[in-house]
PDB file of all heavy atoms in Angstrom:
ATOM      1  N   GLN A 669      12.382 -36.110   9.525  1.00 82.00           N
ATOM      2  CA  GLN A 669      12.244 -36.951  10.714  1.00 82.00           C
ATOM      3  C   GLN A 669      10.792 -37.076  11.179  1.00 82.00           C
ATOM      4  O   GLN A 669      10.517 -37.713  12.193  1.00 82.00           O
ATOM      5  CB  GLN A 669      13.091 -36.402  11.867  1.00 82.00           C
ATOM      6  CG  GLN A 669      14.594 -36.590  11.689  1.00 82.00           C
ATOM      7  CD  GLN A 669      15.176 -35.645  10.653  1.00 82.00           C
ATOM      8  OE1 GLN A 669      14.753 -34.499  10.578  1.00 82.00           O
ATOM      9  NE2 GLN A 669      16.141 -36.120   9.880  1.00 82.00           N
ATOM     10  N   GLY A 670       9.859 -36.463  10.433  1.00 83.00           N
ATOM     11  CA  GLY A 670       8.452 -36.548  10.793  1.00 83.00           C
ATOM     12  C   GLY A 670       8.011 -35.526  11.817  1.00 83.00           C
ATOM     13  O   GLY A 670       6.858 -35.557  12.278  1.00 83.00           O
ATOM     14  N   ARG A 671       8.889 -34.593  12.170  1.00 87.00           N
ATOM     15  CA  ARG A 671       8.522 -33.568  13.139  1.00 87.00           C
ATOM     16  C   ARG A 671       7.726 -32.455  12.466  1.00 87.00           C
ATOM     17  O   ARG A 671       8.060 -32.028  11.369  1.00 87.00           O
ATOM     18  CB  ARG A 671       9.773 -32.987  13.801  1.00 87.00           C
ATOM     19  CG  ARG A 671      10.522 -33.988  14.678  1.00 87.00           C
ATOM     20  CD  ARG A 671      11.840 -33.431  15.161  1.00 87.00           C
ATOM     21  NE  ARG A 671      12.745 -33.157  14.043  1.00 87.00           N
ATOM     22  CZ  ARG A 671      14.028 -32.904  14.177  1.00 87.00           C
ATOM     23  NH1 ARG A 671      14.581 -32.879  15.390  1.00 87.00           N
ATOM     24  NH2 ARG A 671      14.785 -32.648  13.123  1.00 87.00           N
ATOM     25  N   ALA A 672       6.674 -32.014  13.136  1.00 89.00           N
ATOM     26  CA  ALA A 672       5.821 -30.959  12.581  1.00 89.00           C
ATOM     27  C   ALA A 672       6.605 -29.659  12.476  1.00 89.00           C
ATOM     28  O   ALA A 672       7.289 -29.257  13.427  1.00 89.00           O
ATOM     29  CB  ALA A 672       4.594 -30.757  13.455  1.00 89.00           C
ATOM     30  N   THR A 673       6.516 -29.003  11.319  1.00 88.00           N
ATOM     31  CA  THR A 673       7.216 -27.737  11.114  1.00 88.00           C
ATOM     32  C   THR A 673       6.265 -26.585  10.817  1.00 88.00           C
ATOM     33  O   THR A 673       6.631 -25.427  10.978  1.00 88.00           O
ATOM     34  CB  THR A 673       8.206 -27.850   9.940  1.00 88.00           C
ATOM     35  OG1 THR A 673       7.494 -28.233   8.750  1.00 88.00           O
ATOM     36  CG2 THR A 673       9.277 -28.894  10.251  1.00 88.00           C
ATOM     37  N   ARG A 674       5.038 -26.898  10.411  1.00 89.00           N
ATOM     38  CA  ARG A 674       4.106 -25.819  10.077  1.00 89.00           C
ATOM     39  C   ARG A 674       2.684 -26.276  10.307  1.00 89.00           C
ATOM     40  O   ARG A 674       2.319 -27.409   9.968  1.00 89.00           O
ATOM     41  CB  ARG A 674       4.291 -25.396   8.612  1.00 89.00           C
ATOM     42  CG  ARG A 674       3.442 -24.206   8.202  1.00 89.00           C
ATOM     43  CD  ARG A 674       3.607 -23.902   6.729  1.00 89.00           C
ATOM     44  NE  ARG A 674       2.724 -22.859   6.276  1.00 89.00           N
ATOM     45  CZ  ARG A 674       2.362 -22.668   5.015  1.00 89.00           C
ATOM     46  NH1 ARG A 674       2.819 -23.480   4.082  1.00 89.00           N
ATOM     47  NH2 ARG A 674       1.555 -21.687   4.670  1.00 89.00           N
ATOM     48  N   MET A 675       1.883 -25.372  10.873  1.00 89.00           N
ATOM     49  CA  MET A 675       0.456 -25.608  11.079  1.00 89.00           C
ATOM     50  C   MET A 675      -0.341 -24.451  10.499  1.00 89.00           C
ATOM     51  O   MET A 675       0.116 -23.307  10.505  1.00 89.00           O
ATOM     52  CB  MET A 675       0.128 -25.752  12.570  1.00 89.00           C
ATOM     53  CG  MET A 675       0.545 -27.050  13.202  1.00 89.00           C
ATOM     54  SD  MET A 675       0.024 -27.130  14.941  1.00 89.00           S
ATOM     55  CE  MET A 675      -1.769 -27.087  14.761  1.00 89.00           C
ATOM     56  N   VAL A 676      -1.522 -24.760  10.018  1.00 87.00           N
ATOM     57  CA  VAL A 676      -2.435 -23.741   9.508  1.00 87.00           C
ATOM     58  C   VAL A 676      -3.802 -23.997  10.126  1.00 87.00           C
ATOM     59  O   VAL A 676      -4.230 -25.151  10.242  1.00 87.00           O
ATOM     60  CB  VAL A 676      -2.523 -23.777   7.970  1.00 87.00           C
ATOM     61  CG1 VAL A 676      -3.568 -22.791   7.466  1.00 87.00           C
ATOM     62  CG2 VAL A 676      -1.173 -23.461   7.344  1.00 87.00           C
ATOM     63  N   GLY A 677      -4.474 -22.919  10.511  1.00 86.00           N
ATOM     64  CA  GLY A 677      -5.788 -23.087  11.125  1.00 86.00           C
ATOM     65  C   GLY A 677      -6.550 -21.786  11.203  1.00 86.00           C
ATOM     66  O   GLY A 677      -6.205 -20.800  10.547  1.00 86.00           O
ATOM     67  N   SER A 678      -7.595 -21.767  12.018  1.00 83.00           N
ATOM     68  CA  SER A 678      -8.455 -20.587  12.119  1.00 83.00           C
ATOM     69  C   SER A 678      -8.920 -20.384  13.551  1.00 83.00           C
ATOM     70  O   SER A 678      -8.984 -21.335  14.338  1.00 83.00           O
ATOM     71  CB  SER A 678      -9.673 -20.730  11.197  1.00 83.00           C
ATOM     72  OG  SER A 678     -10.482 -21.821  11.633  1.00 83.00           O
ATOM     73  N   ASN A 679      -9.219 -19.133  13.879  1.00 82.00           N
ATOM     74  CA  ASN A 679      -9.816 -18.748  15.152  1.00 82.00           C
ATOM     75  C   ASN A 679     -11.191 -18.156  14.898  1.00 82.00           C
ATOM     76  O   ASN A 679     -11.373 -17.411  13.927  1.00 82.00           O
ATOM     77  CB  ASN A 679      -8.954 -17.712  15.876  1.00 82.00           C
ATOM     78  CG  ASN A 679      -7.702 -18.312  16.477  1.00 82.00           C
ATOM     79  OD1 ASN A 679      -7.532 -19.529  16.484  1.00 82.00           O
ATOM     80  ND2 ASN A 679      -6.820 -17.480  16.975  1.00 82.00           N
ATOM     81  N   ALA A 680     -12.140 -18.492  15.749  1.00 81.00           N
ATOM     82  CA  ALA A 680     -13.491 -17.938  15.635  1.00 81.00           C
ATOM     83  C   ALA A 680     -13.941 -17.451  17.004  1.00 81.00           C
ATOM     84  O   ALA A 680     -13.670 -18.094  18.028  1.00 81.00           O
ATOM     85  CB  ALA A 680     -14.462 -18.979  15.090  1.00 81.00           C
ATOM     86  N   ASP A 681     -14.617 -16.323  17.028  1.00 81.00           N
ATOM     87  CA  ASP A 681     -15.151 -15.754  18.262  1.00 81.00           C
ATOM     88  C   ASP A 681     -16.437 -16.488  18.630  1.00 81.00           C
ATOM     89  O   ASP A 681     -17.427 -16.439  17.893  1.00 81.00           O
ATOM     90  CB  ASP A 681     -15.420 -14.265  18.050  1.00 81.00           C
ATOM     91  CG  ASP A 681     -15.979 -13.583  19.302  1.00 81.00           C
ATOM     92  OD1 ASP A 681     -16.125 -14.257  20.334  1.00 81.00           O
ATOM     93  OD2 ASP A 681     -16.259 -12.372  19.227  1.00 81.00           O
ATOM     94  N   ILE A 682     -16.424 -17.204  19.751  1.00 80.00           N
ATOM     95  CA  ILE A 682     -17.613 -17.962  20.183  1.00 80.00           C
ATOM     96  C   ILE A 682     -18.156 -17.412  21.495  1.00 80.00           C
ATOM     97  O   ILE A 682     -18.845 -18.127  22.235  1.00 80.00           O
ATOM     98  CB  ILE A 682     -17.285 -19.458  20.329  1.00 80.00           C
ATOM     99  CG1 ILE A 682     -16.145 -19.675  21.339  1.00 80.00           C
ATOM    100  CG2 ILE A 682     -16.933 -20.070  18.986  1.00 80.00           C
ATOM    101  CD1 ILE A 682     -15.956 -21.129  21.719  1.00 80.00           C
TER     102      ILE A 682
END
Side-chain angles (χ1 to χ4, degrees):
Q669 288 74 38
R671 294 172 297 193
T673 58
R674 185 184 175 201
M675 286 183 64
V676 175
S678 64
N679 286 352
D681 180 2
I682 58 169

